Amino acid sequence: MLGELNAQYRSSAIEVFYKVVGLHLPRFFQKSKAQLERIVAKGKIKNENEWHLVRHRVDEIEGQSNNDAELEVLNELLGQLEASV
């Protein structure tokens, strides 16, 4: 749902979402974060669930200048998957 927001508002909306969920369920995102780290470490997206994790992170950091290197890595992973389909 938040991924469909205009890019101008998306990053801020996702940040607020994470803060609210994190406030009430502090460990809620830990598993997803660990999964994303494993995907990046192996350098390949192997299934649709992994694609969603990577895509969500791209939506989260897109437009933030301090995440350019991470965004480049994630876009490369998405591009590799698209090229193989």
Side-chain angles (χ1 to χ4, degrees):
M1 178 176 79
L2 296 176
E4 295 177 11
L5 285 174
N6 182 306
Q8 175 184 355
Y9 307 110
R10 184 182 315 132
S11 181
S12 297
I14 291 172
E15 184 178 332
V16 170
F17 170 73
Y18 271 95
K19 284 181 182 179
V20 170
V21 173
L23 180 64
H24 297 285
L25 303 166
R27 290 183 242 140
F28 185 80
F29 295 111
Q30 286 179 342
K31 183 178 178 182
S32 295
K33 183 178 179 183
Q35 287 174 322
L36 181 61
E37 290 171 356
R38 286 191 298 272
I39 295 165
V40 170
K42 72 180 174 186
K44 185 176 182 180
I45 298 171
K46 68 177 183 178
N47 59 43
E48 187 176 347
N49 184 48
E50 289 185 354
W51 180 88
H52 283 289
L53 286 171
V54 173
R55 184 66 236 175
H56 175 73
R57 181 64 179 154
V58 167
D59 288 341
E60 183 179 22
I61 64 173
E62 203 167 40
Q64 297 177 356
S65 61
N66 59 336
N67 291 309
D68 289 342
E70 181 183 5
L71 189 58
E72 185 176 332
V73 169
L74 297 176
N75 280 326
E76 177 67 27
L77 289 171
L78 293 169
Q80 289 173 3
L81 180 68
E82 290 172 7
S84 70
V85 176

